[in-house]
Amino acid sequence: MSSAMRSKGVTMSNGTGRLYKRGNTWWLDYGHRGKRYRESSGSHRKKDARALLKERMGEMGKGQFVGPLEERLTLRELLQLVVEDYEDSARKTLPNLRTAIKHLEAHFGADTPAIDITSTRIKGYVRARRDGYAAGTIRRHLAVLNRAYNLATDGDRPSLSHRPRVPTVHVDNTRENFLSMSDVDAICTEIGPDLAPAVLFAACTGWRKQETLGLRWAYVDLEAGWLRLEGSRSKNGQGREFPFHLFPELAEVIHEQRARTDRIERERGMVVPWVFHRDGEPIRSMYTAWLGACKRAGVPEAWFHDLRRCAVRSLERAGVPRSDAMKLTGHKTESIYNRYSISDSVRLEEAVEKLARYHGTRKPSAGRQVVPLRAGNGTKTAQLSG
């Protein structure tokens, strides 16, 4: 035997694949759909290599073949598929995704093979996170993991042949708190002149916090009295308009902010593009100020997002058709809008008053009286008879 043949080792044909040696380790050489694969058996025994080759042939026959990449794919590489998916679709929640990935890699290990993360281990992740994290947060993290496995098993070129079952986490986070306009006034009094206009604006329009704080003068038509929000700046990607000139209280907020902004621009020789700002600088966070103001106003558990709920309730009380109200507030589906439309004692009293007025206009039927009705057991019960 020549030295060249000895260096390649002994080659053994086996159907559509073959076995050969590199040093003391047996390797597989096989083809699938026009592509050549060389894979180490990890064993010095030809018997083990033959069994692995037979397994690969079986996967090809069943249409389940993925290849040796499956065994090398790490959790980090698996989660990177989701990052790329978010980037390709220009998702706005990429920062939240990276936070979820950080938690998943910290628990399972970034270099852990993806095939080693079983349903049992994922359930362990849920149990470990329940002490310090809300159910909604855990569910979002699991959704990322689930998406990663979907991408790895269902794509044009899958890198995994199977996936673990990702458990579901029940979340009941429907918030039932709401703020009255008197609560809003109290918060505005306590939160200070820089932030009060933004709070009142959100309570009147129902716009989200980032939509409110990110509003720029370029999208305010003072002469016509209209606000415009671009789809790129809204949470659901849909733009909207709001005719504030028909809402005196809201119009006053906008015009006062314009006058305040003009004064700062003259004094500092600068352009202030934001409608709501701190002395000309953008409002990047108001968390601490909000907590303190709510505590002093007597509503310590209030969230800024409750202002959105406040606006929806006002729209409902005003009798605004739901389809129009959703366009003003930016709710995409009626099911989500309904979560914000919460019944309160005042609305229930108004409903009963309407019911009473309706019954008050009815005339009782002539001759209506209460007559006894003999039941089968001999007892008498009352019955209305007209």
Side-chain angles (χ1 to χ4, degrees):
M1 182 179 294
S2 67
S3 60
M5 292 183 66
R6 283 195 298 271
S7 64
K8 293 181 179 178
V10 180
T11 300
M12 179 176 182
S13 177
N14 189 359
T16 59
R18 66 191 184 97
L19 306 176
Y20 66 99
K21 250 188 174 184
R22 282 185 181 174
N24 293 325
T25 304
W26 283 95
W27 282 67
L28 286 62
D29 182 2
Y30 52 88
H32 181 61
R33 293 181 178 177
K35 186 175 180 180
R36 191 83 172 270
Y37 292 91
R38 289 186 175 88
E39 179 181 359
S40 171
S41 71
S43 174
H44 64 278
R45 299 196 307 172
K46 184 170 63 177
K47 179 180 179 181
D48 296 336
R50 184 182 292 113
L52 181 57
L53 181 58
K54 184 178 180 180
E55 180 181 342
R56 293 289 183 257
M57 297 299 107
E59 291 171 352
M60 295 177 196
K62 297 177 182 178
Q64 298 176 345
F65 175 77
V66 175
L69 173 63
E70 179 172 38
E71 299 172 4
R72 301 195 305 268
L73 185 70
T74 65
L75 176 63
R76 179 186 288 112
E77 295 167 333
L78 179 73
L79 295 174
Q80 182 61 27
L81 297 176
V82 188
V83 174
E84 294 171 358
D85 181 55
Y86 271 48
E87 291 174 343
D88 291 342
S89 56
R91 295 279 293 273
K92 298 179 180 179
T93 53
L94 188 57
N96 295 339
L97 169 65
R98 296 192 186 280
T99 299
I101 288 176
K102 181 179 178 181
H103 283 276
L104 291 169
E105 291 182 347
H107 180 84
F108 294 108
D111 296 324
T112 299
I115 59 174
D116 289 348
I117 299 177
T118 62
S119 296
T120 301
R121 293 186 65 180
I122 298 174
K123 290 177 181 178
Y125 174 81
V126 175
R127 289 192 297 270
R129 286 292 186 268
R130 275 179 176 161
D131 289 340
Y133 297 91
T137 301
I138 299 173
R139 184 174 68 175
R140 286 192 293 273
H141 293 179
L142 294 181
V144 171
L145 190 62
N146 192 53
R147 178 60 177 163
Y149 277 107
N150 281 340
L151 291 171
T153 54
D154 297 338
D156 294 334
R157 298 189 63 182
S159 50
L160 291 177
S161 59
H162 65 280
R163 45 163 299 164
R165 181 180 178 276
V166 178
T168 58
V169 176
H170 176 69
V171 177
D172 184 11
N173 61 354
T174 302
R175 187 167 169 81
E176 298 187 353
N177 288 6
F178 56 85
L179 293 171
S180 66
M181 285 308 297
S182 60
D183 293 330
V184 173
D185 291 338
I187 293 172
C188 288
T189 300
E190 297 293 341
I191 206 167
D194 287 336
L195 300 179
V199 171
L200 185 55
F201 176 91
C204 291
T205 62
W207 287 16
R208 301 174 181 89
K209 180 167 67 173
Q210 294 307 318
E211 296 169 348
T212 297
L213 301 183
L215 181 63
R216 294 171 177 256
W217 288 114
Y219 307 117
V220 179
D221 189 337
L222 288 171
E223 184 176 351
W226 280 77
L227 299 169
R228 181 166 56 89
L229 182 68
E230 287 188 329
S232 60
R233 297 182 179 275
S234 68
K235 180 180 179 182
N236 59 20
Q238 293 184 343
R240 79 184 76 118
E241 295 180 318
F242 200 110
F244 69 87
H245 66 98
L246 298 172
F247 195 158
E249 187 175 11
L250 182 58
E252 183 179 359
V253 171
I254 299 296
H255 285 288
E256 286 183 353
Q257 280 299 107
R258 182 65 261 183
R260 179 170 175 261
T261 303
D262 289 341
R263 176 179 56 79
I264 292 174
E265 288 180 336
R266 287 193 304 269
E267 292 175 353
R268 297 194 173 188
M270 61 182 290
V271 175
V272 180
W274 305 280
V275 175
F276 304 106
H277 49 85
R278 279 193 176 103
D279 202 22
E281 299 297 326
I283 302 172
R284 303 193 184 280
S285 175
M286 53 183 295
Y287 180 76
T288 302
W290 173 265
L291 289 181
C294 290
K295 184 176 181 180
R296 293 189 297 272
V299 283
E301 297 182 356
W303 297 354
F304 190 96
H305 204 71
D306 291 337
L307 299 173
R308 184 165 168 81
R309 195 183 316 277
C310 176
V312 169
R313 188 178 63 166
S314 296
L315 288 163
E316 289 284 299
R317 284 184 176 180
V320 177
R322 186 156 293 185
S323 59
D324 296 333
M326 290 171 60
K327 291 178 181 178
L328 291 172
T329 60
H331 283 93
K332 197 170 185 178
T333 63
E334 189 167 350
S335 61
I336 297 298
Y337 180 91
N338 288 338
R339 292 177 60 184
Y340 289 77
S341 179
I342 300 173
S343 296
D344 59 88
S345 58
V346 175
R347 286 183 60 189
L348 294 177
E349 288 176 353
E350 290 174 351
V352 174
E353 285 179 358
K354 292 178 181 179
L355 180 64
R357 284 196 297 271
Y358 167 74
H359 279 277
T361 61
R362 296 177 64 243
K363 293 181 180 180
S365 302
R368 186 176 64 181
Q369 58 182 335
V370 178
V371 296
L373 175 66
R374 185 174 298 278
N377 58 3
T379 60
K380 292 182 179 181
T381 59
Q383 174 179 302
L384 286 176
S385 175

